[in-house]
Amino acid sequence: MPRFVIQQHAATSMHWDFRLEVDGTFKSWAVPKGPSTDPRDKRLAMAVDDHSLSWGDFEGVIPEGEYGAGPVIVWDRGTYENLREEPMGEALEAGHASFWLDGQKLRGGWSLRRTGERRWLLVKRRDEEADARRRPTSTQPESVVSGRTIEEVRKRG
Ligand code: MN
């Protein structure tokens, strides 16, 4: 199964980097508010450069002066299943993907839909895993790798 990872990243502004393994690389989006388990929330997801699969394991502080300087934690990770007929790469080229996440925090169907050159919307699908009240970015802030919060990583590296 292909992997997904969500890295919380306190750069110039806080965001959650949402990455899907597609054809040997991590297709990536920066989600300023993070993923929501409420199907009514349409979360802006800005497409950013592909990242190597090895970057998905990174947790620590990107040094001052480097692009994206600031702390990063692995907020969630796991595998996903493409819910559409066409291969994931083609679905993303066409601007609409639908997938089932099987992570440590997030489960269920999500969709990604392109609405502008780099603008996409990440939305929870209406299924048994949808939950309007869960707010996992607030209630489960810790890294799934180390148990640390992004502020702990910021202070101690
Ligand atoms: Mn980032």
Side-chain angles (χ1 to χ4, degrees), residues 8 10 14 71 73 148-157:
Q8 186 181 7
M14 184 73 78
I73 62 167
R148 298 187 301 169
T149 66
I150 198 152
E151 289 309 321
E152 288 168 347
V153 171
R154 186 201 297 278
K155 286 180 196 128
R156 298 191 189 86

Side-chain angles (χ1 to χ4, degrees), residues 9 15 17 19:
H9 183 189
H15 57 276
D17 286 303
R19 312 190 197 279

Side-chain angles (χ1 to χ4, degrees), residues 26-46:
F26 270 130
K27 294 287 175 190
S28 299
W29 294 261
V31 184
K33 290 184 166 179
S36 172
T37 53
D38 184 345
R40 294 171 301 185
D41 288 338
K42 295 176 171 59
R43 291 290 164 88
L44 174 66
M46 296 297 290

Side-chain angles (χ1 to χ4, degrees), residues 6-154:
I6 301 173
Q7 285 160 307
Q8 186 181 7
H9 183 189
T12 311
S13 56
M14 184 73 78
H15 57 276
W16 283 256
D17 286 303
F18 181 71
R19 312 190 197 279
L20 293 172
E21 179 184 355
V22 181
D23 302 331
T25 190
F26 270 130
K27 294 287 175 190
S28 299
W29 294 261
V31 184
K33 290 184 166 179
S36 172
T37 53
D38 184 345
R40 294 171 301 185
D41 288 338
K42 295 176 171 59
R43 291 290 164 88
L44 174 66
M46 296 297 290
V48 297
D49 289 344
D50 294 354
H51 280 60
S52 68
L53 296 181
S54 59
W55 183 256
D57 297 322
F58 178 79
E59 185 165 292
V61 180
I62 300 174
E64 285 299 325
E66 288 186 24
Y67 182 74
V72 175
I73 62 167
V74 178
W75 183 78
D76 196 15
R77 65 181 177 186
T79 58
Y80 76 89
E81 184 181 345
N82 180 4
L83 295 176
R84 295 184 70 95
E85 296 276 318
E86 69 258 59
M88 200 62 174
E90 286 179 27
L92 290 171
E93 286 282 316
H96 45 65
S98 185
F99 42 86
W100 184 277
L101 300 181
D102 191 3
Q104 293 179 239
K105 293 174 182 169
L106 299 187
R107 277 185 56 78
W110 264 264
S111 67
L112 259 174
R113 185 161 51 85
R114 188 163 53 216
T115 62
E117 195 177 337
R118 291 178 53 211
R119 295 170 67 92
W120 295 65
L121 294 175
L122 177 66
V123 184
K124 181 73 195 72
R125 290 168 61 93
R126 294 178 187 277
D127 57 34
E128 67 274 21
E129 300 291 344
D131 184 343
R133 289 165 302 176
R134 199 173 137 218
R135 311 225 167 268
T137 51
S138 302
T139 60
Q140 297 174 278
E142 303 86 3
S143 162
V144 294
V145 171
S146 66
R148 298 187 301 169
T149 66
I150 198 152
E151 289 309 321
E152 288 168 347
V153 171
R154 186 201 297 278

